[in-house]
Amino acid sequence: MDPSFANYEREPSPIYDNFYSPENREFYARNPYKTFDSSQRQFRLLRLLRKGRWGEPKLSFALLDQMSLEASRRGYTALSYCAGDPKKTVPILVNGIRFNAFANLGLALEEVIIYWEKKGINGEHQCLWVDQICIDQSNPNERSHQVGLMRDIYAGAERVLACLTECDSERSVVGIQWAIEQSQWMQRHLSMADGRFIWRRPDPPVDLLDSARYFTELEKISLSTFQEGFVGFIPLCQRSWWKRAWICQEFIAAVEVDFLCSGLSMPWQDFASVLTYLYKKMPELSNPGSVPVRRRRSSLSSLSTLDDESSASTQTSFEPEQVNLEHNQLDAVRNLFERKKCWTTPGDIKVWLEHSKCCETSDPRDKVFAFLGLASPGYRIEADYSGLKSMVELSIEITRKILEFEKNLHFLYYIEKGRIVSDDSLLPSWVPEWTSTGVDGQFINFSRAMPASVQLHPALASQFTPVILPGNILRLVGIKIDCLGGMEKPWTPGKKKGTKTSKGLYILWWPDDKIQPSDCLWYLPAAGYRNLLVLRRKSDNWLFLSVAYLYTTEKENKCWATYIVDLIMGDDFAGLLEREGLITEVIEIH
């Protein structure tokens, strides 16, 4: 890469706009964009013109306006990158007009050109989609419209190029070169079947993890060289690109993805195989907090297997804090790869909104909008950058849409543990704070388990349909099971703290140390799952506190979760309620 282009630390622009994008008032004043027909699926593309002359911006592009998304399918490349600080910019030309691009975008465009050159592709014959340039960032309505097409833009591209080169990160070729070499070695010698690596040559195939030949092959690799490459590979998995909310949609929806870094490229499948291979050979990566550092060095040695005493002194030492950071990020990358492998159609938005809490966005609304393309269209949620809604109003609207589409209260399971709504809170107790940030900053595992769903008896379903009243009050029918005011001393099932209620129910909930006499256990059939809920009485209404996990009941030592479901789903519903001394009540949750 041209070293002169690598210096992106420029003087910050004196003003940058409210859309978290570099200041480009002069560019927008020249009115380079044509207005889209809102009834058509239109977008813009870029075509590379040339590299700039001396004293001019290095890159120049022509803007192709009002292009049909359907007609352009597989006829363009889409770029995925981490924007970074809007005050760090690099100038390019668009239709001959100076445009301040993100510094990271400037690097990404250079990487794209290098990629085309190495592939023997004439860049001036290629079309490229780049969000910062192809969307009029000064027009909130257009931004909202184009976000609605984002998934289809990336899905319709012939290839998505994901750039891991960033101006604030070390620009070393070691990590990606090492990953490429490992992938090439694996393709020559290994294949995968049923989740196992096996040798290509022996017949019958030999499991890689049990094969002595594995170590003889790896003796060709220098221990110090392998470790140097491995240590260089870790920062690739810690780049800001992986933490960016928008990349989930850009990466998962794409047909083909190549990673770009330091002038080299690598298909995502090869990157994923190398990471899978590391997890196979280094099982402690899945639980690094309990693995001593010396054992981690031993695992690195087993990957290279050189019986050379002199090489032991060159082994890299890992501090415990660094090990944990590597694990968290490696797990996040692996989860993303697994999600792409199994993703087929848009689905449950709640899983993605939960994941978004641990993603980074410049605009907090993007914690929702960045995942709309991966959610079922049945939610009927649309991006709106008009600025008319607060974050609280956005969370309420999203929850309302989820309730209308799913017709259950599964979203209660996603309310932050331990959240107690204060008297002056604008957010109702039954609404998750979808735009919040994860407490521990960790990536959420996509495989988070939900309680088993319960289908109500058809004759009862209509009786328990929840309704949202004016003032964002949730009205529904519930069955009060027990009060927690007279509970006994906390008990400990395993390492978890729990409480025993007056009726002999053993429960686990959060926070168990903040129980008040007005807290009660309820079964809400509209919730759609077996667990009970803890509600707190407040005047004539209730506040939602927590999902409660039940273990056993003294009555016949039968699991209460199963017992209450039998009660609710029984044909003689009224008789069962009477026999157990329970009644249905209409309640309102604020």
Side-chain angles (χ1 to χ4, degrees):
M1 183 179 297
D2 187 339
S4 65
F5 197 76
N7 184 15
Y8 277 82
E9 297 290 338
R10 302 181 183 275
E11 289 295 321
S13 304
I15 302 174
Y16 53 101
D17 61 34
N18 294 326
F19 302 107
Y20 311 97
S21 188
E23 193 278 324
N24 274 300
R25 294 185 181 183
E26 181 180 349
F27 178 82
Y28 296 129
R30 301 281 292 273
N31 195 26
Y33 297 116
K34 297 180 181 178
T35 303
F36 288 136
D37 182 344
S38 59
S39 65
Q40 302 295 318
R41 290 164 57 83
Q42 296 178 328
F43 74 141
R44 300 184 185 93
L45 292 170
L46 295 175
R47 189 183 298 280
L48 177 65
L49 294 179
R50 55 178 170 77
K51 290 195 174 183
R53 300 184 183 90
W54 180 261
E56 293 182 348
K58 290 187 65 68
L59 298 177
S60 179
F61 295 90
L63 191 65
L64 309 180
D65 220 323
Q66 295 179 328
M67 302 288 289
S68 166
L69 183 56
E70 281 71 24
S72 303
R73 186 175 177 81
R74 302 289 180 265
Y76 61 93
T77 297
L79 182 59
S80 178
Y81 66 102
C82 178
D85 189 342
K87 291 179 284 187
K88 295 179 180 179
T89 65
V90 60
I92 64 174
L93 293 179
V94 178
N95 284 359
I97 309 171
R98 181 189 172 103
F99 182 89
N100 292 322
F102 284 104
N104 281 345
L105 173 55
L107 284 171
L109 292 172
E110 282 286 316
E111 291 281 3
V112 170
I113 293 172
I114 293 172
Y115 174 87
W116 282 338
E117 290 174 348
K118 288 189 174 183
K119 296 289 185 180
I121 299 172
N122 186 342
E124 295 184 9
H125 295 164
Q126 300 298 306
C127 291
L128 184 66
W129 189 85
V130 180
D131 58 355
Q132 189 202 350
I133 308 172
C134 295
I135 299 176
D136 182 354
Q137 301 294 333
S138 68
N139 186 334
N141 292 331
E142 180 175 305
R143 292 178 70 222
S144 301
H145 172 263
Q146 291 288 285
V147 164
L149 301 178
M150 199 76 79
R151 184 198 67 206
D152 293 337
I153 290 175
Y154 280 90
E158 178 185 19
R159 186 174 302 274
V160 171
L161 299 180
C163 183
L164 301 180
T165 303
E166 300 169 2
C167 62
D168 292 330
S169 300
E170 180 183 356
R171 296 171 205 164
S172 172
V173 74
V174 172
I176 190 167
Q177 182 66 55
W178 176 87
I180 292 171
E181 291 173 355
Q182 300 308 307
S183 174
Q184 291 171 344
W185 181 89
M186 292 170 64
Q187 292 173 22
R188 287 195 303 270
H189 300 289
L190 309 175
S191 61
M192 178 173 276
D194 299 326
R196 299 166 61 194
F197 287 108
I198 58 177
W199 289 100
R200 291 186 180 277
R201 287 172 289 181
D203 189 21
V206 180
D207 190 327
L208 168 63
L209 300 184
D210 299 325
S211 174
R213 287 189 55 196
Y214 171 68
F215 299 109
T216 29
E217 289 288 342
L218 281 180
E219 285 175 1
K220 299 174 183 177
I221 306 174
S222 162
L223 175 61
S224 60
T225 301
F226 185 94
Q227 289 197 350
E228 180 184 357
F230 177 79
V231 173
F233 175 74
I234 294 300
L236 283 182
C237 299
Q238 295 175 328
R239 294 291 168 88
S240 299
W241 184 87
W242 303 101
K243 305 171 187 177
R244 180 172 164 262
W246 283 103
I247 67 102
C248 291
Q249 180 175 242
E250 297 166 2
F251 176 70
I252 289 175
V255 176
E256 297 290 344
V257 181
D258 282 355
F259 289 110
L260 310 181
C261 186
S262 302
L264 299 177
S265 64
M266 185 177 190
W268 80 269
Q269 296 94 332
D270 294 351
F271 199 108
S273 294
V274 170
L275 196 57
T276 301
Y277 152 81
L278 287 174
Y279 270 86
K280 291 282 187 182
K281 288 303 296 177
M282 301 172 67
E284 62 268 42
L285 283 177
S286 298
N287 189 25
S290 62
V291 179
V293 174
R294 61 179 180 276
R295 183 178 168 191
R296 176 169 293 277
R297 292 201 301 265
S298 173
S299 291
L300 283 174
S301 299
S302 71
L303 281 167
S304 297
T305 318
L306 263 186
D307 298 326
D308 182 356
E309 293 295 333
S310 63
S311 65
S313 63
T314 66
Q315 294 180 359
T316 302
S317 175
F318 293 89
E319 296 297 328
E321 295 80 9
Q322 185 181 1
V323 169
N324 283 327
L325 179 60
E326 290 167 4
H327 158 70
N328 295 331
Q329 193 64 54
L330 287 175
D331 247 11
V333 175
R334 186 174 67 154
N335 286 338
L336 183 63
F337 288 150
E338 291 302 315
R339 193 67 176 182
K340 180 170 178 59
K341 292 176 183 177
C342 67
W343 190 81
T344 53
T345 57
D348 188 347
I349 193 175
K350 302 188 301 298
V351 175
W352 292 109
L353 293 181
E354 179 79 344
H355 175 67
S356 77
K357 296 179 182 180
C358 299
C359 294
E360 296 178 355
T361 62
S362 299
D363 187 332
R365 294 171 293 188
D366 286 339
K367 286 184 174 289
V368 174
F369 298 160
F371 296 92
L372 295 184
L374 299 175
S376 170
Y379 291 105
R380 303 179 67 181
I381 302 172
E382 297 181 354
D384 180 6
Y385 287 99
S386 64
L388 300 179
K389 290 187 179 69
S390 66
M391 294 303 100
V392 168
E393 291 170 328
L394 179 59
S395 289
I396 294 172
E397 180 186 358
I398 297 303
T399 307
R400 184 189 295 267
K401 295 281 190 179
I402 291 174
L403 176 58
E404 291 174 355
F405 178 61
E406 298 184 353
K407 303 188 186 320
N408 59 50
L409 303 179
H410 281 182
F411 58 82
L412 294 176
Y413 191 68
Y414 291 84
I415 292 178
E416 296 82 353
K417 291 181 179 180
R419 189 185 85 180
I420 303 294
V421 176
S422 60
D423 292 337
D424 58 350
S425 175
L426 299 177
L427 189 70
S429 66
W430 54 273
V431 174
E433 194 173 354
W434 298 116
T435 59
S436 67
T437 300
V439 175
D440 54 4
Q442 307 300 327
F443 277 67
I444 303 259
N445 192 321
F446 290 110
S447 61
R448 173 175 181 167
M450 279 290 295
S453 296
V454 174
Q455 294 295 324
L456 288 176
H457 191 285
L460 301 174
S462 60
Q463 301 179 28
F464 297 105
T465 302
V467 177
I468 300 178
L469 303 177
N472 299 313
I473 299 170
L474 184 65
R475 174 185 286 177
L476 39 71
V477 176
I479 302 169
K480 186 191 294 184
I481 303 298
D482 202 355
C483 288
L484 303 181
M487 69 179 186
E488 298 182 4
K489 182 180 178 180
W491 63 290
T492 305
K495 295 182 179 180
K496 300 177 181 178
K497 292 183 178 180
T499 54
K500 180 181 176 183
T501 71
S502 58
K503 290 186 178 181
L505 304 181
Y506 292 97
I507 69 169
L508 173 68
W509 72 295
W510 185 280
D512 62 295
D513 59 342
K514 297 182 180 179
I515 295 175
Q516 295 183 3
S518 59
D519 297 342
C520 296
L521 279 175
W522 285 79
Y523 182 77
L524 304 181
Y529 50 81
R530 287 178 166 82
N531 295 41
L532 303 190
L533 305 177
V534 180
L535 304 182
R536 175 168 294 173
R537 169 74 74 175
K538 184 178 181 182
S539 300
D540 296 330
N541 304 305
W542 296 87
L543 296 177
F544 172 82
L545 291 187
S546 172
V547 175
Y549 302 89
L550 281 80
Y551 287 85
T552 60
T553 173
E554 290 180 346
K555 182 175 181 178
E556 301 175 0
N557 197 31
K558 188 176 183 181
C559 176
W560 185 262
T562 302
Y563 179 80
I564 196 65
V565 170
D566 292 343
L567 174 71
I568 297 302
M569 298 184 67
D571 292 335
D572 186 13
F573 180 69
L576 287 170
L577 287 177
E578 182 178 0
R579 187 158 59 248
E580 297 303 319
L582 302 172
I583 61 172
T584 59
E585 299 180 48
V586 177
I587 61 174
E588 295 181 352
I589 303 179
H590 285 220

